[in-house]
């Protein structure tokens, strides 16, 4: 007889995980009544969701979104911060790809509403972003006396003066403005948001898995290194791709005018 699962370990459905049979995982923050704020239940289950996605070899792309029509994620739970007397947040407090979590697969933020403070943080941490035309983005920490050190990588995404204004004023920007400055890849009407995110995911899935992996790694390397070092590291990252069976299958399929059959080896 198996041991009972402690009540604290039983998922509360604060985060929903849909592992589709097409290689896409849809991860949904599921506290719409709390504007999907990053309370402990969401944080814990989002850590588990990212881990599940990374470990499952059948899943190649993840889409992160929020339940409801108003909020993708309104940020941290300010009441919890007050109750805890929280000063400097521990680095492992929030599930942030590229910081407290390491992922090797592409991720897409599907921003369905406000993405404020920590909501912007987790959207920014995804590799790509599709936003509803009704979405809004803001780094609001200056409004409540908190900090936004997590925003540092934003300098690789948008111009310095725009980044400065967003952080210093805490004022929201529209989805259209986010698209214009390069924070958002694609816009969609609210009812078509997930369709547009899935469309982007499928465009990634059409590529050779090893090439996609190495390409993503190249972008990450390029944001962390100088030109010469990034080129050298990128060449090494692509060695496996060039030597794979897929590297022969792709040109062969092109010559034979058929769809490639990727084997990820």
């Amino acid at each position: 007889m198996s041991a009972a699962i402690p009540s604290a370990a039983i998922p509360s459905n604060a985060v929903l995980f849909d592992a589709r049979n097409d290689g896409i995982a849809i991860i949904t923050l599921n506290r719409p009544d709390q504007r999907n704020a990053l309370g402990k239940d969401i944080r814990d289950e989002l850590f588990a969701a990212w881990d599940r996605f990374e470990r499952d070899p059948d899943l190649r792309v993840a889409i992160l979104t929020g339940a409801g029509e108003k909020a993708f994620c309104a940020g941290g739970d300010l009441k919890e911060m007050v109750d805890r007397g929280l000063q400097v947040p521990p680095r492992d407090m929030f599930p942030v790809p590229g910081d407290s979590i390491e992922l090797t697969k592409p991720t897409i933020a599907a921003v369905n509403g406000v993405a404020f403070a920590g909501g912007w943080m987790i959207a920014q941490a995804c590799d790509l972003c599709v936003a509803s035309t009704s979405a809004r983005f803001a780094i609001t920490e200056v409004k409540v006396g908190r900090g936004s050190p997590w925003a540092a990588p934003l300098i690789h995404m948008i111009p310095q003066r725009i980044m400065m204004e967003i952080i210093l004023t805490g004022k929201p920007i529209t989805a259209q403005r986010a698209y214009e400055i390069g924070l958002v890849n694609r816009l969609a009407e609210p009812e078509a948001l997930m369709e547009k995110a899935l469309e982007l995911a499928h465009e990634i899935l059409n590529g050779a898995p090893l090439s996609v992996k190495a390409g993503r790694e190249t972008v990450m390397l390029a944001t962390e290194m100088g030109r010469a070092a990034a080129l050298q590291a990128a060449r090494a990252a692509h060695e496996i791709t060039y030597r794979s069976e897929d590297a022969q299958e792709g040109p062969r399929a092109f010559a034979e005018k058929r769809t490639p059959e990727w084997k990820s080896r």
Side-chain angles (χ1 to χ4, degrees):
M1 183 176 177
S2 60
I5 301 175
S7 59
I10 298 174
S12 63
N13 290 323
V15 174
L16 306 179
F17 192 102
D18 179 14
R20 294 162 49 104
N21 59 14
D22 56 2
I24 299 171
I26 299 178
I27 301 171
T28 306
L29 308 182
N30 190 37
R31 286 288 184 266
D33 57 323
Q34 300 167 20
R35 290 164 43 111
N36 299 318
L38 295 171
K40 189 176 186 306
D41 55 352
I42 278 189
R43 296 197 308 269
D44 289 348
E45 292 186 30
L46 188 52
F47 268 114
W50 284 132
D51 183 65
R52 178 178 173 185
F53 166 63
E54 178 68 11
R55 290 174 180 273
D56 191 332
D58 293 328
L59 296 175
R60 291 180 50 202
V61 180
I63 297 173
L64 176 66
T65 194
E69 299 178 357
K70 295 183 178 180
F72 169 74
C73 174
D77 185 334
L78 295 180
K79 183 178 183 302
E80 178 192 4
M81 293 180 190
V82 171
D83 291 344
R84 291 178 56 178
L86 183 67
Q87 295 182 336
V88 181
R91 184 177 173 186
D92 61 355
M93 181 174 177
F94 295 103
V96 183
D99 186 4
S100 56
I101 296 170
E102 293 302 322
L103 298 177
T104 60
K105 308 174 189 179
T107 56
I108 301 169
V111 180
N112 54 300
V114 299
F116 288 177
W120 180 312
M121 174 180 70
I122 60 174
Q124 174 185 301
C126 291
D127 299 318
L128 299 161
C129 183
V130 177
S132 162
T133 52
S134 63
R136 290 187 299 151
F137 297 80
I139 299 177
T140 57
E141 278 79 353
V142 295
K143 301 290 189 181
V144 292
R146 301 296 295 176
S148 53
W150 51 264
L154 191 59
I155 197 65
H156 297 293
M157 302 179 188
I158 68 175
Q160 177 179 325
R161 291 191 184 276
I162 295 174
M163 177 179 173
M164 190 74 77
E165 180 180 351
I166 286 169
I167 291 176
L168 298 190
T169 66
K171 291 181 63 176
I173 61 173
T174 64
Q176 179 64 39
R177 178 60 171 159
Y179 175 75
E180 290 168 355
I181 64 177
L183 183 69
V184 168
N185 295 91
R186 300 181 184 183
L187 294 174
E189 292 303 316
E191 65 276 7
L193 176 66
M194 187 52 62
E195 177 185 349
K196 184 71 74 172
L198 287 168
E199 178 183 291
L200 179 55
H202 278 288
E203 289 176 18
I204 296 170
L205 289 174
N206 286 337
L210 294 178
S211 296
V212 168
K213 183 176 185 295
R216 179 183 181 276
E217 189 172 347
T218 296
V219 175
M220 298 301 185
L221 290 168
T223 62
E224 307 236 354
M225 300 179 174
R227 178 182 175 277
L231 278 169
Q232 184 176 355
R235 290 189 187 103
H238 281 78
E239 281 282 332
I240 294 175
T241 305
Y242 282 129
R243 298 183 187 279
S244 69
E245 292 181 27
D246 284 351
Q248 302 304 315
E249 164 64 7
R252 185 182 302 114
F254 179 82
E256 296 173 359
K257 298 181 180 180
R258 60 176 175 80
T259 302
E261 296 180 10
W262 307 124
K263 297 182 179 178
S264 299
R265 63 173 189 261

